[in-house]
Amino acid sequence: MFVFLLPAFCQLPTGFMHRPERIAETLREEIAQIVGYELEDPRLTLVTVTEVRVADDLRDASVYVTVQGDEQEHLTALRALQHAAPYVRKQLGFALNLRHTPALHFVRDTVEEKAERVSSLLEKIEPVSERMKDAE
């Protein structure tokens, strides 16, 4: 019998995903629907659910969100999401057939902000490298 192991960095089709990963993706879709369409809080109009990570025991889920706006809008939106977390969890319980609906912890997703920072640093480096070429 042959056992074929894929490296951890390979993307697997949905049928081969581990259960926590499948549940995380389903939770992301459902939470995005609830936040986007069911919650009528004006502080949440610019919120995007980017990722959900579920603990191995499926009892806790970290929900990563981005908010368009300044720092104050980020903080306000995260407070509003934390306030709405019990309602969102209850709605997930109705929508999904899980033994336990995970406790939701909303977290600011900073990946895009970090990517913008790296891009701006790279743009600053390019003119310096061009000047060095011209000097040679």
Side-chain angles (χ1 to χ4, degrees):
M1 179 172 152
F2 294 99
V3 176
F4 183 74
L5 299 175
L6 292 174
F9 60 86
C10 288
Q11 291 287 335
L12 297 174
T14 309
F16 293 104
M17 292 174 88
H18 296 305
R19 186 164 186 255
E21 292 165 347
R22 284 194 317 264
I23 290 173
E25 182 59 24
T26 303
L27 287 172
R28 187 193 63 77
E29 292 170 2
E30 288 293 327
I31 293 169
Q33 287 292 317
I34 294 167
V35 170
Y37 298 106
E38 291 183 32
L39 296 178
E40 296 181 2
D41 190 330
R43 299 173 292 178
L44 301 177
T45 55
L46 301 175
V47 171
T48 304
V49 178
T50 56
E51 183 180 5
V52 175
R53 294 182 188 164
V54 181
D56 288 337
D57 64 359
L58 306 177
R59 299 280 182 151
D60 291 288
S62 296
V63 182
Y64 290 84
V65 296
T66 59
V67 180
Q68 294 178 357
D70 61 10
E71 188 66 27
Q72 184 60 36
E73 289 172 321
H74 281 269
L75 296 173
T76 304
L78 282 173
R79 268 190 256 117
L81 286 168
Q82 283 304 124
H83 180 73
Y87 172 80
V88 175
R89 184 179 184 191
K90 185 173 88 171
Q91 293 303 106
L92 287 173
F94 292 143
L96 304 175
N97 189 19
L98 296 174
R99 181 175 294 149
H100 301 283
T101 305
L104 303 176
H105 309 283
F106 289 94
V107 181
R108 182 177 178 175
D109 190 351
T110 58
V111 170
E112 288 182 17
E113 295 168 19
K114 290 178 182 176
E116 288 177 22
R117 173 87 172 121
V118 169
S119 294
S120 69
L121 291 173
L122 289 174
E123 288 174 5
K124 289 178 183 177
I125 292 173
E126 285 179 3
V128 172
S129 63
E130 288 175 8
R131 279 187 271 155
M132 289 177 69
K133 285 181 184 178
D134 293 339
E136 291 177 354

